[in-house]
Structures are given as C-alpha cells and as structure tokens.
Amino acid sequence: MSNTDTTSINMAEIFGSNVFNDSVMRTVLPKAIYKSLRKTIEDGISLDAQVAEVVASAMKDWAIAKGATHFTHWFQPMTGVTAEKHDSFISPTPDGRVILEFSGKELIKGEPDASSFPSGGLRATFEARGYTAWDCTSPAFVKDGSLFIPTAFASYTGEALDKKTPLLRSMDAINRQAMRVLKLIGNTSTSRVVTTVGPEQEYFLIDQKLFEERKDLILTGRTLFGAKPPKGQDLEDHYFGQIKDRIAAYMTDLDIELWKLGVSAKTKHNEVAPAQHELAPIFTTTNIATDHNQLTMETMKKVALRHGLVCLLHEKPFAGVNGSGKHNNWSMGTDDGQNLLEPGKTPHDNTQFLLILSAVIRAVDVYADLLRVSAASPGNDHRLGANEAPPAIISIFLGDQLTDILEQIEKSGNALTSKSGGFLELGTASLPSLPKDSTDRNRTSPFAFTGNKFEFRMVGSSQSIAQCNFTLNTAVAEILCEIADRLEKASDIDAEISAIILEIIKNHKRVIFNGNGYSSEWVEEAARRGLPNITTTVDAIAAINAEKNKALMAKHGVLSYIEMESRTEIQYEIYTKTINIEGLTAVEIAKRQILPAVINYKADLASSIGAIESIDGDVSVEKELFSKVNISMKSLSANIAKLEKAIDTAANLHGDTKAQAEAYRDLVFKAMGEVRADADLLETIVDADYWPLPTYSDLLFKV
Ligand code: ADP
Ligand code: MG
C-alpha cells in the first residue's frame, strides 16, 4: 500500500499486530506459564526450561499463523546496526516429511560465529564461539517472514560483545540504587524504578535515481563533494512546512509498518534542512526504546525504497545545511506510575524531585567525558560544535524556574517559592489565553530539562542509543549510590538530604548553563569553568579507557575493565575504517569522475577557442575561463596525490589503534577537505552538462 488516504486505516487493529506482546501471551499461554514468564520479565527470576519449552511452542504457532517460516535471534553487535541469522522451523521426520519445530533451547540460546563481529581483541578468530541469549523484556515480533527474538550477544567467556547487554545491566544498576534512595527517603509505594526513553529521529529523503549516481552516498552515506546550492535552508521555509504528497505517502507507509511492529510512532514533521524530516515515538522503557529505534531506522530505509526514495541517516549527508541528530529524551519512572523527574506545581518543596534532579546534575558533570564519547562518531564530528547542533561541551539547561530554586537553596539553604509561568494573552478576545510553561525552551543545550525529562541532544542520527543510555543510567546510579550510602549513615535524614542538595549545587553549578550554547562566548566561559570541550571523536574515545570511568562501569557490573578496554579499541577501529573508506571513495570519485569531466570540458574549451580565434580575434572570455579551470584542475590533481599519500601513510600505522585513528583524522580527513575544495570550486565554473555528479540542488530539491 502506498497512498495518503488514511481513512481506511484501522490503527487499533494494526498496532502491535506482528508482536508477541503481553496480550498475545496472555491469550496463547497456559495461565501458570504466563505467570512464570511475567516473573522473569518483571523481576528477572531465571526462566525454567519447561516454561521456555511451552513459550517456544506457542510462539512458533503464533508466528507461523502470521506467515513466518523462519526464526532468528536478533542482536546488536558493536557495529551499531543489528544482526540476524535465519533458521527455518522445519525438522525432517524418518518418513521423509518435515514437522515444524522450535524448542525452548532454540528460543533461549543461539550460537552465532562471533569472530566476524568487532570485539576489540576480546576473542581471536580461532576462539570464535559466541552466544546469543533471549532478552524476554523486549517482545519478539514477526517481520519479513521470520520470527525475530531480541537477544544479547556475548563471547564464549561471557564478555559482552554487544550494545544490549550493558544496557540491561545498567537498568538493573539504576533500579538497585534508586530503590535504596527512595526507601531511605520514606517512599513505601514503589518497588521498581525503570528509565524511560523517547528518541526523536531525524532523517533525509532523496530520490533513489539521483542517489544511485553518487558513489559517495552509496559507499559512505554522505556527499564527499558538492558545491553550496543557490538555495539551502536560508528561507527557513522547511521546518514544520507543509509535507509534500510523495513524502506524506512515505510517512503513512512508515507509520503503518512501525505500528505493526509495536513501535508507537507518534509525531512527524519536516525538519530545518530541505529534504529533512523527523519522527518521534511515544517513550517506553530504555531497552525497548533502543530496540524500537533500531527497527525505526531499518524500516525508514526499507520503506523509502518502495517509494523510489532513499533514506539517509548519516549525521551530515550535506555540507552547509543542517545534519541529523537524535534527541534522546530520558527520565526515570516507577512501577507505581511516578515520573521521578516530574517537578509538580511546587518543585521547591518536592524533596524527592530535588534530590533526583541533583543526582542527575552531579552525574552529568562528573561523567561529562563519558557522555561525550557516547555521542561520538566520525559522522557526528561534523555536527557537534558547528552552529546547528549542541557544542561538544556538556552542559545542562535547567530553565528559569529550577535555576531560581537552586539559587534560593544556595543562598539560604532552602527554597521558599517556585516561579510559575502564568498566562499568555494574545491580545484579542477571539483567542484563548494560554497557560504558560514555567520555563522557555533552549535548542542550543546538549542536555536540556524539558518539563519532566532531560533531552540529551548530542546523539547522532545513525547511532544506536544504547551507549548514551547505559552511560546515563550508570552515571546516575553511581551518584544515587553515593547518596544512599550517606543517607544510610545519617541520623537526621532530612538534614542530610538538604546538605547533599546544597553540596551538589555548590560543586556542580558550573555545568548549568541557560544561555546560547552556539555562541563563541560560551566556549570561552566553559573553559573558564573548567568544563571539557572535546571536539573530535578520536580525542573523546580516551574517556572509555580512563580509570575513573572503568571503575564506574565495573563497580555497577555494567562493563568490566576488559570490556571497556575492548570498546576503546573498537571505537578507534571504527573511526579509522570509516575515514579510510571515505578517503578511498573521495580518491576514486575525484580521479575517475571529476578529473576526467574537467579534462573533457577543458579540451572542448580549447578547441572552441581555436575555432573562434580564426573568426574573431577576441577570445579573452574563453581564455580567462580556460585559465581558471586549468589552475583548479592542476590543484585538484596535486591534492588527489596528497590524499593518496596520506591514506598510505595512515594505513601503514598498524599496531597502535590510537595513533592510527589520529593519523586518519590529521592527515586523511584534512587532505579530503583540500580535494573537495578544488572540486567544489570547479563545479561552479565547469559547464553543467559535463559535471558527472547530481548537484546539491538536484539532491535536496528534486524530491
Ligand atoms: P519536542 O520535539 O518538542 O522535544 P517531541 O514530541 O518531538 O518533542 O518528542 C518528545 C519525546 O520525549 C517523545 O518521544 C516523548 O514520548 C518523549 N517523552 C515524553 N515524556 C518522557 C519521559 N517521561 N521519559 C522519556 N521520554 C519522554
Ligand atoms: Mg521533536
């Protein structure tokens, strides 16, 4: 289906129709089995083999009825994308027929070869065994004829080789520590704390035919060449603009596919850059939100092709117009329905809120480097610090109301009032007066309080949100642990809570910044405050290997020292490989497409100069153009040679992954920029008919 007529869509029937969710389980599982499985999902009680057998069989019957012929363990290796390997349900019988089988063992455990996934030295290829383990907290689903079972992925020796394992461990950690604190401050109604996440996903859609003419987009996801078009995002006419029919049809299809998978796609709109859009789901628990975000990215790409479009998830597909990010909205919820970051009407006297808020503030300041690296990627290096995305400096926006409360506490030990928003009068009786929020928004802050949650706005559009969330969960767990340790020893709990909040305000107010994060003044101010400003991925990676951060992760059982060290290696390797591919692609396009096109143009220009000269002596215009083309062409050729040499030098730096990544950044990435500058200049002077690549105007406006 692909039309914009949504009148016939039965949303309630579609939603979750391909998901083995709670209501399906309740219908198809015997009562005792259902109860036992719920206990595993909710309390982590280990699953009985017999129960697994019954669940597997019910899952198989349900999946086959939905058209599935295969099952796959679905996992999230360190590549940042998901992996799957499909097995059919068939099992031969002695009489030459088949029966359809799916055992409890097959549900719970898989054994993919681990040697072909990034492991950062954790396993050599001769020790290739790896395991996937069923994550029953994220529901299984049917997609493309297979039953997908969300799983964690580990090595033979039990080290995590994926993004899900530390995320699940971090959810346990923050639950443990938050529960200690809540009990100590007298909360008797809560028995479990979960973190909740709603990621807003930005993306570009371009025409598939044009995409296929660009080797850079095909191989690297971004344009390595392209002069600035006459029109970019200057008129600010795209953000929230009317959605074109073709795009609307895509969005409708996308929503339906996501709803079937139980992804609660909610909001869709045009974004700032031409051809850029956004989708936001309704928030859910961190683990499911992470799985759903992976499904969202995959589905975005798949559905695009049905519409003759290609979805670009790269952080910076086009130079000179905004790139794409992912706003990770994060909060803490309880099983009795509280949002622990909900300030209420009078936050100044909401002790529980102020304590949790303080914990987040301290966590973000102390572990700023770890949060920074959780959003670091070669693609995101183009955004962070450019005037479109938050700076590379981690700071917190709290807004007027909370900042005022913290200032009151700092001055006098406690806060007596909460500023309220009042009403907005629009100056005519025909419009309603609107209740105003207690605080304005700030689009420039990397970590902004937005009413009852924090929005971590640094994450790149193509990244898995697992790392930023297990980092946040663990950092906050650690501070809650410190708080619980103190409260356990305190004789006067209320006095100790006040002391803790006051101390945190004093020690960490440096990380709070409500001003313009895009300004150069902030960069200077942040330096004065001693806040780290880590501008590149290669520099950010060191944080994973820092003793304080390894100790944090090990203490809470999220990642061991060895696992952290392997992840350091993996991040350097990913950087190196990405820039290597980009460099080689740039060479290929420049050498085999751009340079030949310029040579052809130059040759034709030369022969027309000869031809015209015999008729009309004045060929000054042609000669001037010839000379311009000639100069840039020579420079291009020299810079291609320089880039090739840079790639060679960097590629030969084996052995030291850090030094190699640095060389790719300092030599290769830089040389790519020089090649591009020549090529982009040539694009503006060479006859358009000769130019071998679709231009930015084509890509951004012919959708
Ligand atoms: P905006 O662009 O105005 O920030 P959106 O509606 O596009 O807002 O996205 C906000 C996101 O925050 C949604 O995914 C929403 O579900 C999510 N969200 C709302 N409340 C919470 C919460 N308590 N925890 C986590 N995410 C939340
Ligand atoms: Mg939004």
Side-chain angles (χ1 to χ4, degrees), residues 86-116:
H86 304 256
D87 282 303
S88 71
F89 289 119
I90 59 171
S91 172
T93 57
D95 59 356
R97 293 176 307 128
V98 291
I99 49 165
L100 303 181
E101 261 188 359
F102 181 51
S103 68
K105 202 172 145 263
E106 285 170 310
L107 167 63
I108 288 177
K109 182 174 141 204
E111 294 191 28
D113 182 340
S115 64
S116 302

PDB file of all heavy atoms in Angstrom, residues 86-116:
ATOM      1  N   HIS A  86      18.903 -16.443   9.981  1.00  0.00           N
ATOM      2  CA  HIS A  86      17.588 -17.088   9.994  1.00  0.00           C
ATOM      3  C   HIS A  86      17.676 -18.607   9.860  1.00  0.00           C
ATOM      4  O   HIS A  86      18.398 -19.112   9.018  1.00  0.00           O
ATOM      5  CB  HIS A  86      16.736 -16.526   8.844  1.00  0.00           C
ATOM      6  CG  HIS A  86      16.611 -15.028   8.901  1.00  0.00           C
ATOM      7  ND1 HIS A  86      15.469 -14.392   9.322  1.00  0.00           N
ATOM      8  CD2 HIS A  86      17.504 -14.041   8.631  1.00  0.00           C
ATOM      9  CE1 HIS A  86      15.657 -13.080   9.287  1.00  0.00           C
ATOM     10  NE2 HIS A  86      16.888 -12.842   8.871  1.00  0.00           N
ATOM     11  N   ASP A  87      16.917 -19.315  10.681  1.00  0.00           N
ATOM     12  CA  ASP A  87      16.770 -20.764  10.558  1.00  0.00           C
ATOM     13  C   ASP A  87      15.294 -21.069  10.347  1.00  0.00           C
ATOM     14  O   ASP A  87      14.446 -20.463  10.999  1.00  0.00           O
ATOM     15  CB  ASP A  87      17.239 -21.463  11.843  1.00  0.00           C
ATOM     16  CG  ASP A  87      18.751 -21.550  11.915  1.00  0.00           C
ATOM     17  OD1 ASP A  87      19.347 -22.118  10.982  1.00  0.00           O
ATOM     18  OD2 ASP A  87      19.336 -21.016  12.883  1.00  0.00           O
ATOM     19  N   SER A  88      15.033 -22.018   9.467  1.00  0.00           N
ATOM     20  CA  SER A  88      13.625 -22.347   9.257  1.00  0.00           C
ATOM     21  C   SER A  88      13.144 -23.260  10.384  1.00  0.00           C
ATOM     22  O   SER A  88      13.943 -23.871  11.091  1.00  0.00           O
ATOM     23  CB  SER A  88      13.421 -23.006   7.904  1.00  0.00           C
ATOM     24  OG  SER A  88      13.967 -24.294   7.929  1.00  0.00           O
ATOM     25  N   PHE A  89      11.826 -23.323  10.537  1.00  0.00           N
ATOM     26  CA  PHE A  89      11.254 -24.152  11.597  1.00  0.00           C
ATOM     27  C   PHE A  89      11.268 -25.636  11.233  1.00  0.00           C
ATOM     28  O   PHE A  89      10.867 -26.459  12.038  1.00  0.00           O
ATOM     29  CB  PHE A  89       9.791 -23.732  11.848  1.00  0.00           C
ATOM     30  CG  PHE A  89       9.647 -22.383  12.518  1.00  0.00           C
ATOM     31  CD1 PHE A  89       8.971 -21.346  11.886  1.00  0.00           C
ATOM     32  CD2 PHE A  89      10.156 -22.163  13.794  1.00  0.00           C
ATOM     33  CE1 PHE A  89       8.813 -20.112  12.510  1.00  0.00           C
ATOM     34  CE2 PHE A  89      10.000 -20.936  14.421  1.00  0.00           C
ATOM     35  CZ  PHE A  89       9.330 -19.901  13.773  1.00  0.00           C
ATOM     36  N   ILE A  90      11.684 -25.974   9.988  1.00  0.00           N
ATOM     37  CA  ILE A  90      11.490 -27.365   9.577  1.00  0.00           C
ATOM     38  C   ILE A  90      12.467 -28.331  10.242  1.00  0.00           C
ATOM     39  O   ILE A  90      13.629 -28.007  10.487  1.00  0.00           O
ATOM     40  CB  ILE A  90      11.566 -27.572   8.037  1.00  0.00           C
ATOM     41  CG1 ILE A  90      12.907 -27.109   7.493  1.00  0.00           C
ATOM     42  CG2 ILE A  90      10.415 -26.910   7.320  1.00  0.00           C
ATOM     43  CD1 ILE A  90      13.092 -27.504   6.020  1.00  0.00           C
ATOM     44  N   SER A  91      11.955 -29.496  10.512  1.00  0.00           N
ATOM     45  CA  SER A  91      12.762 -30.561  11.081  1.00  0.00           C
ATOM     46  C   SER A  91      12.312 -31.852  10.391  1.00  0.00           C
ATOM     47  O   SER A  91      11.124 -32.159  10.364  1.00  0.00           O
ATOM     48  CB  SER A  91      12.496 -30.600  12.586  1.00  0.00           C
ATOM     49  OG  SER A  91      13.111 -31.712  13.138  1.00  0.00           O
ATOM     50  N   PRO A  92      13.257 -32.622   9.780  1.00  0.00           N
ATOM     51  CA  PRO A  92      12.850 -33.787   8.994  1.00  0.00           C
ATOM     52  C   PRO A  92      12.337 -34.936   9.876  1.00  0.00           C
ATOM     53  O   PRO A  92      12.775 -35.096  11.009  1.00  0.00           O
ATOM     54  CB  PRO A  92      14.129 -34.195   8.274  1.00  0.00           C
ATOM     55  CG  PRO A  92      15.235 -33.561   9.040  1.00  0.00           C
ATOM     56  CD  PRO A  92      14.693 -32.393   9.784  1.00  0.00           C
ATOM     57  N   THR A  93      11.429 -35.710   9.324  1.00  0.00           N
ATOM     58  CA  THR A  93      10.951 -36.912  10.026  1.00  0.00           C
ATOM     59  C   THR A  93      11.482 -38.133   9.270  1.00  0.00           C
ATOM     60  O   THR A  93      11.850 -38.020   8.099  1.00  0.00           O
ATOM     61  CB  THR A  93       9.406 -36.962  10.039  1.00  0.00           C
ATOM     62  OG1 THR A  93       8.953 -36.913   8.677  1.00  0.00           O
ATOM     63  CG2 THR A  93       8.815 -35.807  10.812  1.00  0.00           C
ATOM     64  N   PRO A  94      11.546 -39.307   9.929  1.00  0.00           N
ATOM     65  CA  PRO A  94      12.124 -40.505   9.281  1.00  0.00           C
ATOM     66  C   PRO A  94      11.413 -40.868   7.984  1.00  0.00           C
ATOM     67  O   PRO A  94      12.021 -41.426   7.076  1.00  0.00           O
ATOM     68  CB  PRO A  94      11.920 -41.605  10.321  1.00  0.00           C
ATOM     69  CG  PRO A  94      11.723 -40.894  11.614  1.00  0.00           C
ATOM     70  CD  PRO A  94      11.147 -39.567  11.318  1.00  0.00           C
ATOM     71  N   ASP A  95      10.137 -40.536   7.858  1.00  0.00           N
ATOM     72  CA  ASP A  95       9.414 -40.927   6.642  1.00  0.00           C
ATOM     73  C   ASP A  95       9.553 -39.899   5.519  1.00  0.00           C
ATOM     74  O   ASP A  95       8.781 -39.891   4.572  1.00  0.00           O
ATOM     75  CB  ASP A  95       7.938 -41.198   6.959  1.00  0.00           C
ATOM     76  CG  ASP A  95       7.245 -39.983   7.547  1.00  0.00           C
ATOM     77  OD1 ASP A  95       7.944 -38.946   7.771  1.00  0.00           O
ATOM     78  OD2 ASP A  95       6.035 -40.029   7.779  1.00  0.00           O
ATOM     79  N   GLY A  96      10.528 -38.998   5.644  1.00  0.00           N
ATOM     80  CA  GLY A  96      10.826 -38.097   4.537  1.00  0.00           C
ATOM     81  C   GLY A  96       9.991 -36.826   4.503  1.00  0.00           C
ATOM     82  O   GLY A  96      10.085 -36.044   3.566  1.00  0.00           O
ATOM     83  N   ARG A  97       9.173 -36.619   5.517  1.00  0.00           N
ATOM     84  CA  ARG A  97       8.430 -35.355   5.548  1.00  0.00           C
ATOM     85  C   ARG A  97       9.101 -34.424   6.559  1.00  0.00           C
ATOM     86  O   ARG A  97      10.165 -34.718   7.091  1.00  0.00           O
ATOM     87  CB  ARG A  97       6.983 -35.627   5.948  1.00  0.00           C
ATOM     88  CG  ARG A  97       6.204 -36.428   4.890  1.00  0.00           C
ATOM     89  CD  ARG A  97       4.801 -36.760   5.355  1.00  0.00           C
ATOM     90  NE  ARG A  97       4.801 -37.407   6.658  1.00  0.00           N
ATOM     91  CZ  ARG A  97       4.066 -37.013   7.701  1.00  0.00           C
ATOM     92  NH1 ARG A  97       3.276 -35.969   7.598  1.00  0.00           N
ATOM     93  NH2 ARG A  97       4.120 -37.657   8.847  1.00  0.00           N
ATOM     94  N   VAL A  98       8.481 -33.274   6.799  1.00  0.00           N
ATOM     95  CA  VAL A  98       9.026 -32.404   7.844  1.00  0.00           C
ATOM     96  C   VAL A  98       7.934 -32.062   8.842  1.00  0.00           C
ATOM     97  O   VAL A  98       6.753 -32.030   8.509  1.00  0.00           O
ATOM     98  CB  VAL A  98       9.592 -31.076   7.279  1.00  0.00           C
ATOM     99  CG1 VAL A  98      10.846 -31.310   6.472  1.00  0.00           C
ATOM    100  CG2 VAL A  98       8.544 -30.317   6.489  1.00  0.00           C
ATOM    101  N   ILE A  99       8.385 -31.810  10.080  1.00  0.00           N
ATOM    102  CA  ILE A  99       7.464 -31.185  11.031  1.00  0.00           C
ATOM    103  C   ILE A  99       8.065 -29.831  11.391  1.00  0.00           C
ATOM    104  O   ILE A  99       9.259 -29.581  11.161  1.00  0.00           O
ATOM    105  CB  ILE A  99       7.265 -32.036  12.304  1.00  0.00           C
ATOM    106  CG1 ILE A  99       8.630 -32.471  12.857  1.00  0.00           C
ATOM    107  CG2 ILE A  99       6.381 -33.233  12.023  1.00  0.00           C
ATOM    108  CD1 ILE A  99       8.554 -32.987  14.265  1.00  0.00           C
ATOM    109  N   LEU A 100       7.228 -28.964  11.933  1.00  0.00           N
ATOM    110  CA  LEU A 100       7.710 -27.630  12.279  1.00  0.00           C
ATOM    111  C   LEU A 100       8.042 -27.591  13.766  1.00  0.00           C
ATOM    112  O   LEU A 100       7.191 -27.882  14.604  1.00  0.00           O
ATOM    113  CB  LEU A 100       6.655 -26.592  11.918  1.00  0.00           C
ATOM    114  CG  LEU A 100       6.248 -26.638  10.438  1.00  0.00           C
ATOM    115  CD1 LEU A 100       5.223 -25.574  10.113  1.00  0.00           C
ATOM    116  CD2 LEU A 100       7.478 -26.488   9.545  1.00  0.00           C
ATOM    117  N   GLU A 101       9.298 -27.248  14.045  1.00  0.00           N
ATOM    118  CA  GLU A 101       9.765 -27.310  15.426  1.00  0.00           C
ATOM    119  C   GLU A 101      10.460 -26.030  15.850  1.00  0.00           C
ATOM    120  O   GLU A 101      11.117 -25.373  15.056  1.00  0.00           O
ATOM    121  CB  GLU A 101      10.767 -28.461  15.562  1.00  0.00           C
ATOM    122  CG  GLU A 101      10.151 -29.705  16.124  1.00  0.00           C
ATOM    123  CD  GLU A 101      11.201 -30.772  16.432  1.00  0.00           C
ATOM    124  OE1 GLU A 101      12.413 -30.525  16.177  1.00  0.00           O
ATOM    125  OE2 GLU A 101      10.806 -31.823  16.904  1.00  0.00           O
ATOM    126  N   PHE A 102      10.309 -25.724  17.123  1.00  0.00           N
ATOM    127  CA  PHE A 102      11.059 -24.615  17.709  1.00  0.00           C
ATOM    128  C   PHE A 102      11.128 -24.904  19.201  1.00  0.00           C
ATOM    129  O   PHE A 102      10.114 -24.867  19.890  1.00  0.00           O
ATOM    130  CB  PHE A 102      10.340 -23.292  17.422  1.00  0.00           C
ATOM    131  CG  PHE A 102      11.049 -22.084  17.962  1.00  0.00           C
ATOM    132  CD1 PHE A 102      12.393 -21.861  17.695  1.00  0.00           C
ATOM    133  CD2 PHE A 102      10.373 -21.149  18.738  1.00  0.00           C
ATOM    134  CE1 PHE A 102      13.046 -20.734  18.183  1.00  0.00           C
ATOM    135  CE2 PHE A 102      11.012 -20.016  19.230  1.00  0.00           C
ATOM    136  CZ  PHE A 102      12.342 -19.817  18.947  1.00  0.00           C
ATOM    137  N   SER A 103      12.313 -25.233  19.687  1.00  0.00           N
ATOM    138  CA  SER A 103      12.424 -25.698  21.070  1.00  0.00           C
ATOM    139  C   SER A 103      12.731 -24.547  22.024  1.00  0.00           C
ATOM    140  O   SER A 103      13.150 -23.467  21.614  1.00  0.00           O
ATOM    141  CB  SER A 103      13.544 -26.727  21.164  1.00  0.00           C
ATOM    142  OG  SER A 103      14.781 -26.080  20.946  1.00  0.00           O
ATOM    143  N   GLY A 104      12.548 -24.843  23.290  1.00  0.00           N
ATOM    144  CA  GLY A 104      12.881 -23.868  24.326  1.00  0.00           C
ATOM    145  C   GLY A 104      14.353 -23.492  24.260  1.00  0.00           C
ATOM    146  O   GLY A 104      14.733 -22.335  24.457  1.00  0.00           O
ATOM    147  N   LYS A 105      15.178 -24.469  23.953  1.00  0.00           N
ATOM    148  CA  LYS A 105      16.617 -24.214  23.867  1.00  0.00           C
ATOM    149  C   LYS A 105      16.913 -23.238  22.716  1.00  0.00           C
ATOM    150  O   LYS A 105      17.739 -22.333  22.839  1.00  0.00           O
ATOM    151  CB  LYS A 105      17.346 -25.542  23.646  1.00  0.00           C
ATOM    152  CG  LYS A 105      18.793 -25.481  24.051  1.00  0.00           C
ATOM    153  CD  LYS A 105      19.436 -26.863  24.008  1.00  0.00           C
ATOM    154  CE  LYS A 105      20.875 -26.739  23.576  1.00  0.00           C
ATOM    155  NZ  LYS A 105      21.130 -26.964  22.169  1.00  0.00           N
ATOM    156  N   GLU A 106      16.223 -23.457  21.605  1.00  0.00           N
ATOM    157  CA  GLU A 106      16.440 -22.558  20.460  1.00  0.00           C
ATOM    158  C   GLU A 106      15.953 -21.141  20.746  1.00  0.00           C
ATOM    159  O   GLU A 106      16.495 -20.175  20.222  1.00  0.00           O
ATOM    160  CB  GLU A 106      15.714 -23.111  19.218  1.00  0.00           C
ATOM    161  CG  GLU A 106      16.413 -24.297  18.585  1.00  0.00           C
ATOM    162  CD  GLU A 106      15.564 -24.962  17.518  1.00  0.00           C
ATOM    163  OE1 GLU A 106      14.385 -25.271  17.794  1.00  0.00           O
ATOM    164  OE2 GLU A 106      16.079 -25.157  16.408  1.00  0.00           O
ATOM    165  N   LEU A 107      14.921 -21.050  21.571  1.00  0.00           N
ATOM    166  CA  LEU A 107      14.413 -19.727  21.946  1.00  0.00           C
ATOM    167  C   LEU A 107      15.431 -19.006  22.820  1.00  0.00           C
ATOM    168  O   LEU A 107      15.737 -17.835  22.633  1.00  0.00           O
ATOM    169  CB  LEU A 107      13.075 -19.884  22.698  1.00  0.00           C
ATOM    170  CG  LEU A 107      12.548 -18.652  23.441  1.00  0.00           C
ATOM    171  CD1 LEU A 107      12.241 -17.521  22.464  1.00  0.00           C
ATOM    172  CD2 LEU A 107      11.289 -18.995  24.243  1.00  0.00           C
ATOM    173  N   ILE A 108      15.984 -19.740  23.774  1.00  0.00           N
ATOM    174  CA  ILE A 108      16.816 -19.109  24.799  1.00  0.00           C
ATOM    175  C   ILE A 108      18.229 -18.830  24.330  1.00  0.00           C
ATOM    176  O   ILE A 108      18.812 -17.799  24.640  1.00  0.00           O
ATOM    177  CB  ILE A 108      16.845 -20.011  26.054  1.00  0.00           C
ATOM    178  CG1 ILE A 108      15.480 -19.941  26.735  1.00  0.00           C
ATOM    179  CG2 ILE A 108      17.922 -19.596  27.016  1.00  0.00           C
ATOM    180  CD1 ILE A 108      15.365 -20.832  27.931  1.00  0.00           C
ATOM    181  N   LYS A 109      18.786 -19.740  23.556  1.00  0.00           N
ATOM    182  CA  LYS A 109      20.218 -19.617  23.258  1.00  0.00           C
ATOM    183  C   LYS A 109      20.526 -19.837  21.777  1.00  0.00           C
ATOM    184  O   LYS A 109      20.001 -20.748  21.150  1.00  0.00           O
ATOM    185  CB  LYS A 109      20.956 -20.674  24.097  1.00  0.00           C
ATOM    186  CG  LYS A 109      22.462 -20.645  23.948  1.00  0.00           C
ATOM    187  CD  LYS A 109      23.094 -21.631  24.918  1.00  0.00           C
ATOM    188  CE  LYS A 109      24.262 -22.336  24.261  1.00  0.00           C
ATOM    189  NZ  LYS A 109      24.582 -23.617  24.840  1.00  0.00           N
ATOM    190  N   GLY A 110      21.362 -18.989  21.228  1.00  0.00           N
ATOM    191  CA  GLY A 110      21.846 -19.165  19.869  1.00  0.00           C
ATOM    192  C   GLY A 110      23.360 -19.191  19.886  1.00  0.00           C
ATOM    193  O   GLY A 110      23.983 -18.763  20.860  1.00  0.00           O
ATOM    194  N   GLU A 111      23.961 -19.686  18.832  1.00  0.00           N
ATOM    195  CA  GLU A 111      25.425 -19.748  18.788  1.00  0.00           C
ATOM    196  C   GLU A 111      25.977 -19.196  17.485  1.00  0.00           C
ATOM    197  O   GLU A 111      26.495 -19.931  16.661  1.00  0.00           O
ATOM    198  CB  GLU A 111      25.905 -21.197  18.976  1.00  0.00           C
ATOM    199  CG  GLU A 111      25.607 -21.760  20.332  1.00  0.00           C
ATOM    200  CD  GLU A 111      26.317 -23.087  20.582  1.00  0.00           C
ATOM    201  OE1 GLU A 111      27.391 -23.317  19.995  1.00  0.00           O
ATOM    202  OE2 GLU A 111      25.784 -23.881  21.363  1.00  0.00           O
ATOM    203  N   PRO A 112      25.864 -17.896  17.281  1.00  0.00           N
ATOM    204  CA  PRO A 112      26.435 -17.346  16.053  1.00  0.00           C
ATOM    205  C   PRO A 112      27.963 -17.337  16.157  1.00  0.00           C
ATOM    206  O   PRO A 112      28.501 -17.317  17.256  1.00  0.00           O
ATOM    207  CB  PRO A 112      25.898 -15.920  16.022  1.00  0.00           C
ATOM    208  CG  PRO A 112      25.628 -15.574  17.438  1.00  0.00           C
ATOM    209  CD  PRO A 112      25.319 -16.856  18.158  1.00  0.00           C
ATOM    210  N   ASP A 113      28.626 -17.376  15.031  1.00  0.00           N
ATOM    211  CA  ASP A 113      30.071 -17.256  14.999  1.00  0.00           C
ATOM    212  C   ASP A 113      30.412 -15.824  15.417  1.00  0.00           C
ATOM    213  O   ASP A 113      29.948 -14.868  14.812  1.00  0.00           O
ATOM    214  CB  ASP A 113      30.531 -17.512  13.555  1.00  0.00           C
ATOM    215  CG  ASP A 113      32.032 -17.468  13.428  1.00  0.00           C
ATOM    216  OD1 ASP A 113      32.676 -16.884  14.321  1.00  0.00           O
ATOM    217  OD2 ASP A 113      32.556 -18.011  12.451  1.00  0.00           O
ATOM    218  N   ALA A 114      31.211 -15.686  16.477  1.00  0.00           N
ATOM    219  CA  ALA A 114      31.478 -14.342  16.988  1.00  0.00           C
ATOM    220  C   ALA A 114      32.662 -13.683  16.298  1.00  0.00           C
ATOM    221  O   ALA A 114      32.939 -12.518  16.495  1.00  0.00           O
ATOM    222  CB  ALA A 114      31.731 -14.404  18.491  1.00  0.00           C
ATOM    223  N   SER A 115      33.376 -14.453  15.476  1.00  0.00           N
ATOM    224  CA  SER A 115      34.664 -13.947  15.006  1.00  0.00           C
ATOM    225  C   SER A 115      34.538 -12.858  13.954  1.00  0.00           C
ATOM    226  O   SER A 115      35.479 -12.141  13.688  1.00  0.00           O
ATOM    227  CB  SER A 115      35.491 -15.095  14.446  1.00  0.00           C
ATOM    228  OG  SER A 115      34.844 -15.635  13.314  1.00  0.00           O
ATOM    229  N   SER A 116      33.370 -12.731  13.351  1.00  0.00           N
ATOM    230  CA  SER A 116      33.251 -11.726  12.299  1.00  0.00           C
ATOM    231  C   SER A 116      32.585 -10.441  12.765  1.00  0.00           C
ATOM    232  O   SER A 116      32.166  -9.627  11.963  1.00  0.00           O
ATOM    233  CB  SER A 116      32.482 -12.315  11.124  1.00  0.00           C
ATOM    234  OG  SER A 116      33.158 -13.462  10.675  1.00  0.00           O
TER     235      SER A 116
END
